[in-house]
Each structure stands twice: as structure tokens, then as C-alpha cells.
Amino acid sequence: MARNEQLIRQHKILQLLEDARYGRTLDEIRDDLITDLGLSKLHERTVRRDIEALQSAGYDLDVETNQRGKVWKLGRVDRGIHKISATATELIALSIGRDLLNPLAGTQYWQGVESFWNKLEEEVPNGVYDHYSKFRETLCVYGVPTKTYEKHAGILRTINRAIVEHRIVEIDYQSPGRAGSTRRIEPYGLAIYQSSIYVIAAAEEVEDPKERMRHWKLDRFTKATALDEWFKPDPDVDIQTHLNRSFGIFSGEATESVQIRLSSFGAAWVREDPWHTEQQLEMQPDGGAILTVSSAHPRELMPKLLSLGAEAEVLGPESFRTAVTDVIARLAKTYAVEPTDGH
């Protein structure tokens, strides 16, 4: 816990000094840390030790004396004032990535993207930037959702802080079609899936370790409060491994191997646009294929299956096949045409 708190303070000190053209005194740094991190108190000696630790780590932190007293500043290299070089090809690649990250607008991640991009625009030679601009006019990025997380910026800051400090977070959560609820979660990390941010967290009230980890969509948070209560992270939880178990973003330790028969047309689409990095595609003599993919819930496969229509058939397990059958039956009822007189 102490190490994480120190890490947070030191990172915040760097941010404060990056934004301070004329530097900050030790008292100013301490007061800003208390305000920004929501601390009740912080001793000056602690701030001084944090600065010394940053210096030992290689950061160029200088102190000078003026009418304000001793003022700490970041050196030129650490402030990012040094020249940044980039080729037109690199600018094109970076700009595509920037467009794909538009849903993160309003978050601290987007602030970093924009800050770096602005530095590039200022530093690259005019000829390089002109070449990039002309080429970029012929390359468009589409299909990125028009959503942003600007309204959730404060909630995201709370979650990020709680992840590092292992704090329990009380959230107000509103799932579509359900009544809102207040929950207590133990956040482990964040995941970005199809332009949406998810909080990977354990539901505090659930005891079964196989059922505790849930994926909470940030869009559904209406409030988040980091409590003065802490949890002990499960050493067996690895976020990357946890997320790779399933086809999509649905939570659950238990996944099932789903077999899907694809027509030659469906197989061509899946070869062209794979569903998962660990899928298996067994080609058949008729040009079709048997697709095998792991999934935690039928709903995460449903959009893919319905997009192929009759070109895909779930062979098993039976629970997945039944789920698809139910959806098809409801669609048939929704789109049924009532017979008219004489027909």
C-alpha cells in the first residue's frame, strides 16, 4: 500500500511541475498534492523524500532560490521541450491511431494523445507536415463510434486512483432495462473493448472466486466514490489472462467451447475477419468450415452469428444453440406479416 501511495504522489509531482513554468515551492507542491489526491494531511518531509527519489531515478529536478523561496523545476529534457522528429509515414500512422481513439475524448488518456500530437505539429518541418496533410486527405477512418467519456472523466480518475491504491469503490450503476443499484467493487484494472471502457473489478459481496470478477461498463456509472476501505488483491488474478479466456467482454471464469458450422460464404467472411485470436477453423470438403471459439455467454456471440444469418449454425453446446433459436423465434414473431383478406 505504501509503495503505491508513493508512486501516485511522485507521478502527481511530475504532473504539477510539468504545468509550472516558473516552478513550485515545496509548500505549493504539498498543498496541491493534498488537494488533487484528496489527502487529509501530508508532511513536507514526505514531499522532499519523493523529490529525492525522483532525482535518484534520473529525473532532472532542479531547485533555485528567488523571492518566493526555494523553487523546484523540471529540467528541459523532462519537460519535453527537446525536439521531436517524425517522418510523414509516422505522422500518418499516428493520426490513424488518434482517430481510432476518439471515444476516449474527455479522459486523461485523450489529454495525453492531444498533448503529444500538438508537440508533433509544432516540431516537424513544414515540408514533412504538408506532405502528411496531403496524403491524409486520401485516407479516411470510419466506423468509430461518436461517443466520448467526457462526462465520466471524474469517475474515471476515481477508478484509476482506487486501482493503484486497492481501495473499495462504491458505485451507482444503471444497466439497460434494470433498476439502478448501489454496489461496492474492488477494481483491478481497465479494458477498452470496441471503443468502450470497462472496469475489471470484483463484486465485494460475492464469495466464490470464480464468480467475483465482473466487467462493469463505464457508460453505466452514474457515481463513484473511493472509500477509506481497502482490499487485498487476489495474487491469482491476472487481468490479461482473465480477459483472454473469453470471446468478448462478458465476464466469467467458466467459458465454453462453441462449435459453429459455416457455409462456404460464411467461412470466407470469418477467414477475412477473424472472430478471435485463438479461434480454430476446420475447413470442410464443401468449402464450408467448423469454427470453434471460446465464449462465456451466448450474447457475446449473437451479433456475429446474426450478421451471417443462415450462413452460420451453432452445433453446440445446446445452451448456445437454444439461445440462438429463441432469438430467431422472437425475430420471426416481430417481423411476421399478418395475412390480409383474400390472401
Side-chain angles (χ1 to χ4, degrees), residues 102-111 148-154 156-157:
N102 272 330
L104 298 181
T107 70
Q108 61 265 50
Y109 309 119
W110 184 253
Q111 292 169 2
T148 75
Y149 282 102
E150 191 168 356
K151 294 182 179 179
H152 292 81
L156 189 56
R157 282 195 296 269

Side-chain angles (χ1 to χ4, degrees), residues 204-232:
E204 188 195 39
E205 76 279 5
V206 179
E207 296 182 0
D208 187 345
K210 293 184 178 181
E211 299 294 333
R212 297 190 77 232
M213 296 302 293
R214 308 288 173 88
H215 305 166
W216 313 77
K217 197 172 186 179
L218 186 61
D219 308 63
R220 302 171 185 173
F221 283 62
T222 57
K223 185 180 179 182
T225 304
L227 305 177
D228 288 332
E229 299 178 45
W230 291 264
F231 66 93
K232 184 177 181 180

Side-chain angles (χ1 to χ4, degrees), residues 44 70 77 117 161 242 253 302 330:
E44 185 180 288
K70 288 187 177 181
V77 172
W117 185 256
R161 177 186 172 196
H242 171 78
E253 291 290 320
M302 201 68 69
R330 290 169 59 192

Side-chain angles (χ1 to χ4, degrees), residues 28-144:
E28 289 170 345
I29 295 173
R30 181 196 60 197
D31 293 343
D32 286 338
L33 286 173
I34 291 174
T35 300
D36 291 357
L37 298 181
L39 305 175
S40 57
K41 61 180 180 179
L42 184 63
H43 202 280
E44 185 180 288
R45 286 197 303 270
T46 302
V47 180
R48 190 182 298 276
R49 284 197 296 267
D50 286 339
I51 291 176
E52 291 171 352
L54 288 169
Q55 288 176 312
S56 298
Y59 286 95
D60 184 12
L61 296 178
D62 300 321
V63 61
E64 63 180 45
T65 302
N66 57 28
Q67 66 273 19
R68 293 161 56 204
K70 288 187 177 181
V71 175
W72 290 92
K73 293 182 177 181
L74 265 179
R76 292 181 60 85
V77 172
D78 293 304
R79 289 180 64 86
I81 298 176
H82 60 293
K83 294 287 184 179
I84 300 175
S85 62
T87 66
T89 301
E90 290 169 339
L91 284 175
I92 291 166
L94 288 169
S95 69
I96 293 172
R98 177 170 170 259
D99 288 351
L100 293 172
L101 290 174
N102 272 330
L104 298 181
T107 70
Q108 61 265 50
Y109 309 119
W110 184 253
Q111 292 169 2
V113 170
E114 287 295 271
S115 174
F116 182 70
W117 185 256
N118 291 336
K119 290 177 182 177
L120 281 175
E121 288 183 321
E122 293 174 358
E123 298 294 346
V124 297
N126 291 335
V128 172
Y129 195 83
D130 290 343
H131 179 78
Y132 148 76
S133 298
K134 291 177 181 178
F135 189 91
R136 191 64 173 87
E137 291 174 357
T138 68
L139 181 62
C140 302
V141 176
Y142 283 96
V144 179

Side-chain angles (χ1 to χ4, degrees), residues 260-271 281-284 286-291 308-314:
I260 303 165
R261 180 187 288 120
L262 301 172
S263 69
S264 57
F265 178 81
W269 274 104
V270 175
R271 286 199 306 270
L281 199 63
E282 183 182 348
M283 300 306 298
Q284 302 297 300
D286 62 356
I290 302 298
L291 171 66
L308 290 179
E311 309 298 332
E313 177 191 0
V314 176

Side-chain angles (χ1 to χ4, degrees), residues 162-178:
I163 289 170
V164 178
E165 295 184 350
H166 308 316
R167 282 178 181 250
I168 295 174
V169 180
E170 185 176 86
I171 63 170
D172 289 347
Y173 197 74
Q174 178 69 64
S175 297
R178 298 183 183 179

